Amino acid sequence: MSSSIRRWVETDTGHRVPNHKSKCRHFHGHRYRWEAELEGEVVQEEGVSEEGMLIDFGDVSSILEEHIHDVVDHAFVVYERDEEAIEVLSGLSSDHRTVVVPFIPTAENLAKWAFEQVSPHIYSSYGNKLRLSAMHVRETPKSWASWHPPTQ
Ligand SMILES: [Zn+2]
């Protein structure tokens, strides 16, 4: 029997979709929500802090803060081959937070990126098969994308 939990963090992050047919090619930003979904078995070990949980929500939050929030909050995410945008951003002061990525920063691609940021940090010492099962990224209140790793 497996259970799942979700925890999210939000950031204010800029991007653009350089080839987009309409307004998404302009520099703009979103209040992104990055939601981690974890699966595993509830810890049965008596007397430990995690008894009855998959993992402490606070521990998931700390991982999301460090590996998502602190990387892209109040930052501009730019595709490494978006030369026009790279040129503009490189003219800003050196403390401007620019995150260059090897993909067009759509919600779909950002969900996969976020999964790869977070997944290595999700583990448990209780043998409860804890794993990150998906990352969900909300770009607008009506628009979400999810990344699920391929099943092995
Ligand atoms: Zn956008």
Side-chain angles (χ1 to χ4, degrees):
M1 288 286 283
S2 72
S3 298
S4 65
I5 62 169
R6 294 178 175 212
R7 177 88 185 208
W8 50 258
V9 66
E10 288 188 330
T11 68
D12 295 310
T13 303
H15 82 149
R16 78 167 188 155
V17 178
N19 306 326
H20 191 256
K21 63 187 177 205
S22 182
K23 59 188 180 182
C24 291
R25 70 176 180 275
H26 302 303
F27 280 36
H28 67 281
H30 298 281
R31 178 76 176 174
Y32 281 97
R33 183 175 294 178
W34 311 82
E35 184 173 293
E37 183 173 355
L38 282 69
E39 273 185 23
E41 295 170 359
V42 170
V43 172
Q44 304 293 341
E45 202 161 324
E46 288 183 23
V48 301
S49 177
E50 288 83 358
E51 183 179 1
M53 306 173 184
L54 293 187
I55 182 175
D56 194 312
F57 282 118
D59 292 343
V60 182
S61 181
S62 299
I63 292 164
L64 292 173
E65 285 288 327
E66 181 178 351
H67 299 284
I68 302 285
H69 179 275
D70 293 353
V71 179
V72 297
D73 186 52
H74 288 78
F76 195 94
V77 179
V78 62
Y79 178 35
E80 65 184 5
R81 291 172 63 188
D82 183 352
E83 290 169 17
E84 190 179 36
I86 294 270
E87 187 183 333
V88 169
L89 292 161
S90 65
L92 301 176
S93 63
S94 60
D95 67 342
H96 182 264
R97 200 182 264 187
T98 301
V99 179
V100 181
V101 292
F103 53 81
I104 294 173
T106 57
E108 292 88 336
N109 286 338
L110 288 169
K112 182 171 187 281
W113 171 84
F115 188 96
E116 290 164 355
Q117 290 286 112
V118 171
S119 184
H121 306 286
I122 301 294
Y123 53 87
S124 166
S125 46
Y126 297 108
N128 62 336
K129 299 179 184 161
L130 182 69
R131 66 186 183 91
L132 183 65
S133 55
M135 279 295 307
H136 310 282
V137 174
R138 187 195 73 174
E139 197 171 77
T140 74
K142 295 179 181 177
S143 310
W144 290 80
S146 299
W147 167 256
H148 303 268
T151 48
Q152 290 144 0

